[in-house]
Amino acid sequence: MELTEVIGSRRSVHSYADEPLSEETIETIFESVRQTPSSYNLQPWEFLVLTEEANQEALQEAAFGQEHVTDAAAVVVVLGNLDPAAHAERVFDDWLESGYLPDEEARDGLLEDVRSWRDQPREENRIWTTRSTALAATNLMNAAWDEGVASCPMGGFDPDAVREAFDISDGYEPVMLVTLGYPVDEDELEGPEKFRRSVDEIVHYDAFDPVAPGLESEPGIEAPADDD
Amino acid sequence: MELTEVIGSRRSVHSYADEPLSEETIETIFESVRQTPSSYNLQPWEFLVLTEEANQEALQEAAFGQEHVTDAAAVVVVLGNLDPAAHAERVFDDWLESGYLPDEEARDGLLEDVRSWRDQPREENRIWTTRSTALAATNLMNAAWDEGVASCPMGGFDPDAVREAFDISDGYEPVMLVTLGYPVDEDELEGPEKFRRSVDEIVHYDAFDPVAPGLESEPGIEAPADDD
């Protein structure tokens, strides 16, 4: 399917047919996912694909009981490695080999830089891995739709419960869940397009003038008046 | 272009032709971006598109001097609203109107839930907005490529310097930068495919068995031995 058709026709789906996804279909989808760009090509993503009923039930419990978790043919727990340097050596070796880096010194310097990010506050590594991993999640949903497989992104779950249920160390951030399956409800596919903010509202040329104020860290706190 | 061709042929590009992007091309790209799914359809994204030379120079300073910031036809500062409820009223009104919510009580309940997220620790709202906004950034890069426009995602910049340079309140999170422009260097487009981790390595069926340990919060700390 054309990219614009995929993006324009895709709908989040909650009702799935009782039809499994073949391993071949899943592989085809992830063949696209793996090609997602990431900062420094560090690819921190991992995908735990839950197809077994008992696993989906365990996930549902960690996801506040949401029904489509067990209705879906598969639910993907999208995970981000919190170690920016986890795959750095392979990435920079590849850059060296393909001439993108001039020499080993440059490679070693980069590797040292990325390893130093390990010492950032954990909050920053959470942001880092969430950003790169979410980039891949869009390709997951688009590539699925291109294979006729519907999806729904979910942010509502207890990350610690997910970790515990599937023996995931706290070295990984549960970034989001994505349900996958063949759609069954025509209304979900052909209903009216959902509200989306307009291009005019979200694009700002050379000056930032949003319609909403954002959530400031200290809203309403004004500079103290001079004592005199 | 077919989705799989967009994803498979896209390359991150650092050298751009000295050719501006028409406003029409930019609008076409963002027409796809605005259709990105997000948790509860809350769409926290904003895009500051810098085309003026002085602005690109100011951004370059905040991005540790990276050259392609000023070479690009446009640089997009991808921003995430830190207020989850910023657009919630419009979204839930739309759900009510289209029959996706049964009544006003359901709408009000959802609105209250989302507003309560404002009181989460700021770290969680940063994660929340980074996730949803990064989802849109993938569609930005893919839709650009579909229009013949190359891009490069960038995570290396000083967010406070970006805020200061463009008068962005701390109610918004600078999530990433994306350079845009027509590619000029054939080598960048037709060079060997970059290293990408394999599907086998990143996909885990029903049990999590990653090749890397992640970055645990307290690595190597063992339970204290009993005093005796």
Side-chain angles (χ1 to χ4, degrees), chain B:
Chain B
M1 216 185 289
E2 293 280 312
L3 172 84
T4 49
E5 195 189 337
V6 170
I7 292 176
S9 66
R10 195 201 149 274
R11 295 284 181 279
S12 285
V13 158
H14 293 82
S15 304
Y16 296 102
D18 189 16
E19 186 184 342
L21 298 176
S22 72
E23 203 162 307
E24 196 192 329
T25 301
I26 296 178
E27 306 265 316
T28 302
I29 292 169
F30 281 98
E31 193 50 51
S32 284
V33 173
R34 68 186 274 273
Q35 300 185 65
T36 306
S38 55
S39 185
Y40 284 82
N41 195 24
L42 289 170
Q43 313 169 52
W45 45 69
E46 303 284 342
F47 305 93
L48 174 59
V49 179
L50 302 175
T51 58
E52 290 172 11
E53 205 178 312
N55 283 333
Q56 291 189 0
E57 281 167 8
L59 183 65
Q60 187 171 47
E61 209 163 306
F64 313 124
Q66 293 181 77
E67 276 180 31
H68 48 301
V69 171
T70 44
D71 288 347
V75 192
V76 183
V77 183
V78 179
L79 296 162
N81 193 324
L82 285 154
D83 178 7
H87 310 292
E89 211 164 323
R90 288 191 287 167
V91 171
F92 300 147
D93 279 347
D94 171 69
W95 284 4
L96 184 61
E97 219 168 285
S98 60
Y100 188 71
L101 287 176
D103 51 37
E104 290 209 8
E105 201 180 315
R107 169 199 171 278
D108 293 348
L110 266 181
L111 201 53
E112 200 177 319
D113 284 352
V114 172
R115 283 185 177 147
S116 75
W117 301 350
R118 287 173 170 162
D119 302 325
Q120 293 185 120
R122 189 169 168 87
E123 174 171 347
E124 299 310 318
N125 284 328
R126 290 185 69 203
I127 300 278
W128 175 85
T129 202
T130 297
R131 180 174 51 217
S132 284
T133 300
L135 292 176
T138 301
N139 278 341
L140 169 57
M141 293 186 281
N142 284 342
W145 191 251
D146 192 42
E147 290 292 310
V149 175
S151 63
C152 185
M154 298 169 57
F157 58 89
D158 173 347
D160 289 330
V162 169
R163 281 204 184 92
E164 191 167 341
F166 302 103
D167 200 19
I168 299 164
S169 83
D170 79 348
Y172 285 86
E173 174 84 16
V175 172
M176 58 193 287
L177 310 179
V178 177
T179 53
L180 294 176
Y182 294 102
V184 73
D185 184 348
E186 291 292 315
D187 281 356
E188 283 198 308
L189 300 180
E190 290 166 12
E193 206 183 328
K194 275 189 198 155
F195 162 72
R196 287 290 201 275
R197 300 171 62 213
S198 70
V199 171
D200 270 2
E201 182 180 319
I202 64 175
V203 176
H204 314 271
Y205 288 98
D206 285 291
F208 189 51
D209 53 349
V211 299
L215 188 69
E216 303 197 30
S217 50
E218 297 188 356
I221 292 183
E222 290 174 31
D226 283 348
D227 280 345
D228 62 0

Side-chain angles (χ1 to χ4, degrees), chain A residues 145-168:
Chain A
W145 191 250
D146 193 41
E147 291 292 309
V149 175
S151 62
C152 184
M154 298 168 59
F157 58 90
D158 173 349
D160 289 330
V162 169
R163 281 203 184 94
E164 191 168 340
F166 302 104
D167 201 19
I168 299 163

Side-chain angles (χ1 to χ4, degrees), chain A residues 10-88:
Chain A
R10 196 200 149 276
R11 296 283 181 280
S12 286
V13 159
H14 293 81
S15 304
Y16 297 102
D18 188 16
E19 186 185 343
L21 298 176
S22 72
E23 204 162 305
E24 196 192 329
T25 301
I26 295 178
E27 306 266 316
T28 302
I29 293 169
F30 281 98
E31 193 51 51
S32 284
V33 172
R34 68 186 275 272
Q35 300 185 65
T36 305
S38 54
S39 186
Y40 283 83
N41 195 24
L42 290 169
Q43 312 169 54
W45 44 70
E46 304 283 344
F47 305 93
L48 174 59
V49 179
L50 302 175
T51 59
E52 291 172 10
E53 205 178 312
N55 283 333
Q56 291 188 1
E57 281 167 9
L59 183 65
Q60 188 172 44
E61 208 163 306
F64 314 124
Q66 293 181 75
E67 277 179 28
H68 48 302
V69 171
T70 45
D71 289 347
V75 192
V76 184
V77 183
V78 179
L79 296 161
N81 194 325
L82 285 154
D83 178 7
H87 310 291

